Amino acid sequence: MSDHALRLLREQPHLAELAAFPFNFDLTRADHGEAVRLASGGPLEAVAGDDTGGTYFVCGDGSVLYADSEGSAGIIGNSVDEALEVLVGLPGWHDYLGLAPADGEEKIRAAVAETEEEIREYHGIDDERTELRAGLGLPERSPVELIGLLHAALLRTEPDFLLLNAEEGGAHDLLDRHPRPPLWETVLARGRTDLTLLRAGSAWDEVAGDRARRALALRAAQFDRREGDLPLLRHLLKHEAEASMTDELRLAAVLVGLHGCAEDLPLLYEVRETDFDTWCGLGGMPEPDADPAELRSWARGLDDSLFGTDPADEPLFTWTGLAREQGLVELARAALIRRLDDIDFRAYRDARDGKAMERRDASQLSSLVHEFEQLGDTFQALRAQRLYVPLQTRAWDRVSALLRLARLEREEGRFGAAIRTLASLRDTLAEPDAGGGSGSGSDKSLGHWQRTNLGAYIVEEHYAVARTAATDTALADEVRAVTVAAGELLARLSGTARANVERHLAGTTDTHTDSRTDIHTDTGANLDAGVSAEPTPPQPSAG
């Protein structure tokens, strides 16, 4: 992308003065006033600002992102040259954010003429525009062409150029309000194409053999059901069984079962018996000699409760998971951040009004943490986990949530915060009812924590924080305290648990990133025989 015009502005003060006034692209106003960054992590350079507190940034591909002082942002040009074409050709461009080429030439020209007449009441723009265009080598375009450029640029803002507050992580609003296609439509596009190929008898093995394409084709079949699809559904079902238990495997079984063919019962039974996970996930399935009506009834029950025919009814995490599997990482990230921002705003509003945060957000927050970690976005995962922790009323759940919070803080290099979180965790171990249990002395969920994997992970995380935080000399006292606490906790573990931890620590490198500290995948597993385990919370899948 060209930055020819920007170089000229930097080299020629007279042209820079013209750009600053009357066209409000001022090279001396490049300080935005708050730290911002792209959600994608891409480069971002502030190059100019305007007299309203807005800032112009150049992104890695040359696109120009404008962020106003009210928390909105949008791409306004594919390059600095193109952005300046818009700013110079449409000095009232802020008033045209709602315009699109579809509005027609008459409406566009009328809107531009009205705004420019208002501007001319205060200062000139015509001679200045001619001079600046000539000096920068910008072409003369009609208002209709410029609105087309601006409209197309704005629509590119999300997901690749989503602007965040660098400290808090919240996303800026879109600068415009033009409608965008729903997430599911973008994600499902490839699946619809593949389903068409399958129906034409093409690419059966290519689609079925690719996990992402197979899942999308099954989702496309979910929302476009046809009588003749049974052979291809059987084919996809057989291949999906190789991936063990997934939401798409259950969907494939349901779509096959809805056809109610007796000859499919042995196949479905074979799929169910693939392994323990599939046996559990397809529970209730009729036996191979069952009546076809029973098969159809089973499939309808699952379809009604889990699937359906409207993609808009699917949970957000269905589409973000499928987007991630396709490599549409920024599309998934943007949707997840927007959802987290909604929950964060409700939490702020409830706190302001003296209300408790709604518990219905707890399951979504847990899924958000998982999805952000799948994207490698520890920063946003940490945001979600901070909101999740206060919603846990049972002592076991609070400790598990605090442990995960400490790990995320450590991985983000926030060692002081991780140390404080571990202190809160130890307080909960000491007084399980203090954090909101059902009554004094009533919370017994941590009764055997010393003999479970949870206890082992607690000790390991204390040592991990101590090791990594040791690089910060300002935290020397806190590191010593954590190390002492780790030793005390280790001594409280049962013999088997303690031996396992010591064996694990003996092979630990300086940077502790063992996935075992994510207790959400295994909090209830026993280290000692005979101890009742807590049930393992299900981890959200793509569905």
Side-chain angles (χ1 to χ4, degrees):
M1 296 297 180
S2 172
D3 62 353
H4 173 72
L6 182 60
R7 289 199 304 271
L8 289 175
L9 291 179
R10 287 170 169 170
E11 293 168 358
Q12 300 186 36
H14 174 63
L15 293 179
E17 290 172 6
L18 273 177
F21 184 82
F23 301 106
N24 227 352
F25 185 85
D26 191 341
L27 299 182
T28 68
R29 294 179 180 266
D31 182 6
H32 188 56
E34 67 173 7
V36 293
R37 65 178 180 85
L38 293 179
S40 66
L44 194 68
E45 178 191 4
V47 296
D50 62 24
D51 59 10
T52 68
T55 308
Y56 299 94
F57 297 90
V58 177
C59 305
D61 70 342
S63 297
V64 175
L65 180 73
Y66 175 79
D68 65 21
S69 59
E70 303 300 319
S72 297
I75 295 293
I76 62 168
N78 292 333
S79 65
V80 176
D81 290 10
E82 185 177 293
L84 282 167
E85 284 187 52
V86 171
L87 301 184
V88 175
L90 301 172
W93 68 275
H94 289 276
D95 296 334
Y96 314 141
L97 293 173
L99 286 176
D103 291 316
E105 182 174 352
E106 183 178 352
K107 181 178 180 179
I108 291 172
R109 288 188 178 276
V112 172
E114 180 181 359
T115 303
E116 293 196 353
E117 281 305 310
E118 294 175 358
I119 294 174
R120 291 186 184 98
E121 293 179 7
Y122 299 96
H123 55 77
I125 56 172
D126 298 305
D127 292 341
E128 293 82 353
R129 177 155 51 199
T130 299
E131 183 179 358
L132 189 55
R133 275 175 169 163
L136 297 179
L138 302 179
E140 183 175 347
R141 298 185 190 270
S142 71
V144 177
E145 289 180 280
L146 293 172
I147 289 296
L149 291 176
L150 177 60
H151 178 71
L154 288 167
L155 292 180
R156 291 201 306 112
T157 303
E158 204 164 305
D160 293 325
F161 304 100
L162 183 63
L163 191 66
L164 305 181
N165 178 292
E167 295 181 2
E168 298 175 0
H172 284 54
D173 293 330
L174 288 171
L175 196 61
D176 67 281
R177 293 296 180 266
H178 294 299
R180 268 78 168 174
L183 174 65
W184 63 261
E185 187 173 305
T186 304
V187 174
L188 202 57
R190 178 65 182 274
R192 287 171 163 169
T193 299
D194 280 343
L195 182 58
T196 299
L197 289 174
L198 293 171
R199 285 170 172 165
S202 303
W204 275 40
D205 290 336
E206 291 87 341
V207 173
D210 184 302
R211 162 65 190 141
R213 294 180 67 180
R214 183 174 66 243
L216 286 167
L218 283 166
R219 289 295 176 176
Q222 174 186 350
F223 306 116
D224 180 14
R225 304 181 182 192
R226 299 186 186 179
E227 191 64 32
D229 284 348
L230 184 53
L232 69 88
L233 291 173
R234 291 168 175 157
H235 188 67
L236 294 174
L237 172 63
K238 293 175 184 177
H239 281 76
E240 188 63 22
E242 298 173 3
S244 190
M245 192 60 231
T246 64
D247 285 336
E248 283 70 39
L249 178 64
R250 186 182 288 111
L251 171 61
V254 165
L255 293 176
V256 169
L258 286 171
H259 286 267
C261 294
E263 58 265 35
D264 287 323
L265 280 165
L267 168 63
L268 290 167
Y269 185 80
E270 179 184 347
V271 168
R272 191 190 72 173
E273 298 298 309
T274 300
D275 55 35
F276 181 73
D277 289 337
T278 55
W279 186 85
C280 294
L282 297 176
M285 179 184 291
E287 297 298 315
D289 57 351
D291 186 275
E294 187 179 348
L295 171 61
R296 189 180 289 109
S297 176
W298 170 81
R300 284 174 178 166
L302 282 180
D303 192 28
D304 291 343
S305 62
L306 297 176
F307 300 110
T309 58
D310 187 349
D313 291 339
E314 282 291 323
L316 169 70
F317 305 109
T318 296
W319 304 119
T320 56
L322 291 170
R324 171 168 42 80
E325 288 188 12
Q326 288 187 78
L328 302 176
V329 172
E330 296 313 317
L331 185 67
R333 192 196 314 273
L336 294 167
I337 290 174
R338 292 293 188 193
R339 177 61 59 85
L340 178 55
D341 285 351
D342 288 343
I343 296 174
D344 201 357
F345 176 75
R346 288 201 299 272
Y348 163 77
R349 182 192 59 199
D350 290 344
R352 180 197 61 194
D353 297 339
K355 299 178 181 178
M357 188 175 172
E358 297 184 23
R359 288 196 54 79
R360 66 184 174 89
D361 289 327
S363 62
Q364 287 205 52
L365 286 168
S366 180
S367 296
L368 283 166
V369 174
H370 173 75
E371 288 295 308
F372 280 125
E373 289 205 89
Q374 291 296 304
L375 293 174
D377 195 335
T378 310
F379 180 85
Q380 294 294 344
L382 179 55
R383 277 186 68 202
Q385 188 68 10
R386 283 174 176 160
L387 291 171
Y388 179 76
V389 168
L391 296 176
Q392 309 312 304
T393 57
R394 198 175 66 134
W396 178 285
D397 298 331
R398 291 200 307 277
V399 167
S400 299
L402 287 167
L403 182 57
R404 193 176 202 177
L405 178 62
R407 175 176 62 79
L408 291 169
E409 288 169 335
R410 169 174 58 80
E411 291 176 354
E412 273 292 294
R414 305 187 183 203
F415 303 132
I419 289 170
R420 291 189 293 274
T421 297
L422 290 179
S424 296
L425 186 157
R426 295 194 300 277
D427 289 343
T428 304
L429 290 177
E431 297 185 65
D433 286 292
S438 57
S440 178
S442 63
D443 192 335
K444 306 298 185 184
S445 60
L446 287 171
H448 299 287
W449 68 267
Q450 302 94 330
R451 300 171 64 186
T452 67
N453 278 344
L454 176 61
Y457 299 160
I458 289 170
V459 174
E460 290 174 5
E461 187 59 35
H462 274 73
Y463 280 118
V465 169
R467 279 194 302 274
T468 52
T471 59
D472 188 341
T473 55
L475 294 174
D477 291 341
E478 289 86 346
V479 168
R480 280 192 289 272
V482 169
T483 304
V484 170
E488 293 172 347
L489 291 168
L490 179 62
R492 295 176 65 185
L493 295 183
S494 68
T496 302
R498 185 166 57 253
N500 285 344
V501 170
E502 290 171 343
R503 184 165 52 252
H504 176 249
L505 292 175
T508 303
T509 59
D510 289 342
T511 303
H512 180 87
T513 58
D514 194 304
S515 62
R516 296 196 304 164
T517 59
D518 184 355
I519 47 79
H520 283 261
T521 63
D522 195 18
T523 53
N526 298 333
L527 288 172
D528 287 358
V531 179
S532 61
E534 293 293 326
T536 303
Q539 194 62 269
S541 67

